[in-house]
Amino acid sequence: MEMLRIVPSSVIWTVINLLVLTVLMKIFLFKPIMNVIEKRNKMINDDLSQAKESREQAEKMLTEHRKQIESVKDEAANMLSDAKERARGEYDRIVSDANSRAERIVSQANEDARQTVDRALAGAQGHITELAAEAARKLLEQSSSAELNSSLYDSFLEETGESDDSK
């Protein structure tokens, strides 16, 4: 059984080797790996906090933009309403001006027509007066006979445009 024999010096050297190997692995292998893992965790945590801040900032900007859009929509609606009111006022003013001009034109035309009728009547009355005066003058110049008077009367009526329908 010689093979299974435990040599105490060999065990001590094996334990020392294992301890030295463990210390060396801890110094040269585990410590750098742990540093890399810590740096990686720190970088991930920083990225997460930056992403959280960016998301909060983006949400804030989104809220502001929504408010601005609503404000612009309200302003556009107000501007459109104001423009419609101004257009309605301008339309009413133009229609009112056109109506007053039309009334003046109609009034002037009525006045012109009335004056034309008055002039025509005055001219006709003057002509009738002249005819009547001429008939009277002819009557006075000529002798008064019934036939003569009847012919003068008929001639007067022919000149004025009327005829004696009783004959």
Side-chain angles (χ1 to χ4, degrees), residues 44-107:
I44 290 171
N45 288 335
D46 288 345
D47 287 347
L48 286 175
S49 66
Q50 283 179 353
K52 184 178 178 182
E53 288 175 10
S54 295
R55 186 175 50 104
E56 288 173 356
Q57 194 175 27
E59 287 174 357
K60 229 185 247 185
M61 289 174 66
L62 179 64
T63 304
E64 285 180 21
H65 285 113
R66 285 183 179 160
K67 286 179 184 177
Q68 287 177 349
I69 288 172
E70 287 300 318
S71 172
V72 167
K73 283 181 182 178
D74 290 343
E75 187 176 331
N78 288 338
M79 289 173 68
L80 182 62
S81 175
D82 290 344
K84 283 181 180 179
E85 287 178 27
R86 284 194 309 268
R88 174 60 66 184
E90 187 66 17
Y91 171 79
D92 291 342
R93 184 189 64 77
I94 289 170
V95 167
S96 174
D97 287 350
N99 285 337
S100 66
R101 285 181 184 171
E103 287 174 7
R104 282 195 307 265
I105 290 170
V106 167
S107 166

Side-chain angles (χ1 to χ4, degrees), residues 8-26:
S9 71
S10 184
V11 170
I12 292 178
W13 279 112
T14 303
V15 169
I16 291 175
N17 278 337
L18 279 174
L19 285 174
V20 168
L21 183 64
T22 304
V23 168
L24 288 176
M25 282 179 62
K26 187 175 182 182

Side-chain angles (χ1 to χ4, degrees), residues 105-125:
I105 290 170
V106 167
S107 166
Q108 185 65 38
N110 286 338
E111 181 65 25
D112 290 347
R114 187 186 57 76
Q115 288 175 358
T116 303
V117 167
D118 288 347
R119 280 193 300 265
L121 286 176
Q125 285 174 350

